[in-house]
Amino acid sequence: MKNDTTAVAAPLPTVGAKASAKKTVEDTINALPANATEANLAAVEAAWKALKEYQDIGGKIDAKLSTKLNDAKDLVKTDMLKNLTIAYDQLDKNNKVAVKELKEKIETAVELAKKDNLFGNGIGNDSTFKTIITTTLGNVRDAELASVIKAINAIQLNVTLSDQAVVIAARAAYYAFVEDWTDYAFPYDAAK
């Protein structure tokens, strides 16, 4: 019988573990600044994670701490959205590298929002940014495709040795396009 109760009690939190987890939650939440920004994202994530772990062992925090954490989450989310909006407004929409970098930032923000539901119904459920940046990236891709088609069409019907530079340029443009835009899981469809 002793072995059975030991096995049952082993995964239960001890009083010391629960008190330690409570102190960790209180300390991480109290360390959050009153005017949190995107720069405080790691601290907000740490506080959110500590709270979830504390709640998993049956802990509860007072309303004041809960409000402070929720306010910090809202401020970080608002700042992230503001920064993404500013970044998009200032974006050179013809610069493939810049567009791809912003797309990665947006995808990171969306994944972060979905992870543990950190921001509730904010960024993760609003696909506006993803749609806009995907459209912008599609425009860049389409412009590059037009450039490749133009390079291919510049090749004479009856190719001679004097056309070698044109053929090499068209081939290089084509290979660069395929390398940049082909996702073998979702092959490029020129018809779209």
Side-chain angles (χ1 to χ4, degrees), residues 40-182:
N40 304 110
L41 176 61
V44 171
E45 280 185 289
W48 180 253
K49 183 178 177 187
L51 175 61
K52 287 295 173 196
E53 289 172 358
Y54 182 54
Q55 288 174 335
D56 287 346
I57 60 172
K60 294 184 191 238
I61 60 171
D62 64 28
K64 183 179 172 186
L65 287 175
S66 180
T67 300
K68 183 172 182 171
L69 178 58
N70 287 332
D71 288 349
K73 287 176 8 185
D74 289 342
L75 288 169
V76 169
K77 177 178 74 172
T78 301
D79 194 47
M80 285 178 74
L81 289 171
K82 179 186 82 170
N83 291 340
L84 288 173
T85 302
I86 291 169
Y88 182 77
D89 290 343
Q90 295 175 351
L91 180 68
D92 175 2
K93 292 166 182 68
N94 296 316
N95 182 334
K96 174 177 57 178
V97 173
V99 173
K100 284 185 174 184
E101 285 175 358
L102 184 58
K103 184 174 189 260
E104 285 180 27
K105 284 182 183 178
I106 291 169
E107 288 172 349
T108 299
V110 168
E111 286 306 310
L112 179 67
K114 290 179 180 178
K115 181 177 89 178
D116 295 330
N117 198 25
L118 179 63
F119 294 128
N121 293 327
I123 300 168
N125 295 325
D126 181 8
S127 62
T128 304
F129 276 118
K130 280 185 84 170
T131 302
I132 289 171
I133 200 68
T134 301
T135 301
T136 302
L137 194 56
N139 293 341
V140 171
R141 181 200 60 226
D142 293 346
E144 284 191 16
L145 177 61
S147 174
V148 169
I149 291 171
K150 184 176 180 182
I152 291 171
N153 288 338
I155 299 172
Q156 299 286 333
L157 186 58
N158 296 321
V159 179
T160 64
L161 187 57
S162 64
D163 296 317
Q164 182 179 11
V166 175
V167 172
I168 290 172
R171 181 187 302 169
Y174 172 78
Y175 286 155
F177 180 83
V178 168
E179 183 177 332
D180 282 349
W181 298 105
T182 300

